[in-house]
Amino acid sequence: MPAGVRLVQKVSSTRAFARIAPHVVPAMDRAVHRLTRGRVLLSAQMLPGVVLTVPGARSGQPRTTPLACMPQPGEGGKDGWILVGSNFGRPGHPAWTANLLAHPEAAVINWKGRDIPVRARLLSGEERAGVWEAALRFWPPYAAYQARIDREIRLFRLDPLEGCDGPV
């Protein structure tokens, strides 16, 4: 693993990062994503990323959030994505997770400049346990996030709706 990645993982595991990052990282990602018309997502230079748009759980208004993701192979050749509701290891589930729970079939992700309608599914039980282990291999700081909080970090699988392609 490159030294730069190890450094970013170490920094992202700190409480200071958890306080600052939620205010800086998404704003920068949204601005660059908009300016490049969906071609660039800054945080995706470190981890794969999507921009999730889903109606708000209470308002019904579209809410757009840049997020790290884990592209995942799916059944029958249909690939999808895993989203980790870590909230940078802060208390409380991130708002986008409540939005997905309220509107699991109304989400759209922007993946590498393409808008893809998806169906979201909250993972639980053995399936969640297996994906959590993969998430820890993918981004070890998730373990530090989970250790700081009492809630179980939500994991979602996003699958393209019929007629849409998954990760390319």
Side-chain angles (χ1 to χ4, degrees):
M1 179 180 307
V5 172
R6 284 194 305 271
L7 176 64
V8 170
Q9 287 179 346
K10 187 172 183 124
V11 168
S12 70
S13 295
T14 66
R15 290 182 189 274
F17 183 83
R19 281 192 303 275
I20 296 166
H23 305 289
V24 176
V25 175
M28 287 177 28
D29 269 343
R30 276 192 285 273
V32 170
H33 192 258
R34 190 172 33 253
L35 289 171
T36 63
R37 296 188 178 134
R39 290 186 307 274
V40 177
L41 192 59
L42 279 181
S43 61
Q45 304 311 304
M46 184 62 57
L47 292 171
V50 298
V51 176
L52 171 70
T53 301
V54 63
R58 289 182 294 206
S59 71
Q61 297 299 309
R63 303 294 183 209
T64 300
T65 309
L67 299 166
C69 70
M70 291 182 1
Q72 289 286 294
E75 298 167 11
K78 283 277 193 178
D79 293 339
W81 301 263
I82 299 295
L83 299 182
V84 180
S86 69
N87 205 14
F88 297 97
R90 297 181 311 155
H93 294 288
W96 64 263
T97 68
N99 298 343
L100 282 180
L101 289 171
H103 305 285
E105 296 192 16
V108 175
I109 60 168
N110 186 278
W111 169 255
K112 297 182 179 181
R114 293 179 25 232
D115 287 335
I116 303 171
V118 294
R119 175 179 296 108
R121 186 169 52 85
L122 178 65
L123 302 181
S124 62
E126 288 182 25
E127 181 181 26
R128 185 202 179 280
V131 171
W132 179 247
E133 290 303 316
L136 293 177
R137 287 189 302 277
F138 179 75
W139 191 246
Y142 287 143
Y145 297 171
Q146 183 64 77
R148 280 200 298 263
I149 56 177
D150 293 329
R151 67 180 173 85
E152 181 177 75
I153 291 175
R154 290 175 175 163
L155 301 179
F156 287 87
R157 178 170 172 94
L158 304 182
D159 290 303
L161 293 177
E162 289 302 314
C164 300
D165 295 327
V168 175

